[in-house]
Amino acid sequence: MSFAQLMRTCREKAKLTQEAIAERMYISRSAVARLESGMKWDVETARKWSQLTNSQEVLAAYLFGVDIHSIITNIMPFLGG
């Protein structure tokens, strides 16, 4: 799973639309679509996104090389995700 796909999954699990996260991040919906389709992420954007989607642990795991697919399928259900 790519980082962009991971962040999209986190947004969807948070039940946020592209429009909603764009508004909260002060960016356009098209910028959100570009991020989710593979545009390069900067650290500050990833940090804000993870805060808004309550997925800080997922971001940290990704940055430290943990198998994200395993986290999403095995651990997130126990955390209410």
Side-chain angles (χ1 to χ4, degrees):
M1 177 179 284
S2 74
F3 185 72
Q5 291 170 325
L6 174 65
M7 294 292 98
R8 178 181 178 174
T9 300
C10 290
R11 175 184 59 78
E12 291 171 345
K13 285 190 169 285
K15 298 185 184 347
L16 292 171
T17 64
Q18 285 185 340
E19 292 82 8
I21 200 159
E23 184 179 302
R24 292 178 180 147
M25 292 185 67
Y26 304 105
I27 60 176
S28 67
R29 193 220 45 88
S30 61
V32 171
R34 286 192 304 273
L35 286 166
E36 291 183 348
S37 66
M39 187 176 99
K40 188 174 180 177
W41 287 70
D42 62 64
V43 174
E44 185 61 20
T45 300
R47 185 190 65 77
K48 286 179 185 176
W49 189 288
S50 69
Q51 285 180 325
L52 290 171
T53 60
N54 198 27
S55 59
Q56 295 94 328
E57 294 85 0
V58 174
L59 176 60
Y62 182 86
L63 293 174
F64 285 101
V66 175
D67 178 14
I68 300 302
H69 185 274
S70 177
I71 288 173
I72 290 174
T73 57
N74 298 321
I75 296 173
M76 290 298 284
F78 295 107
L79 300 176

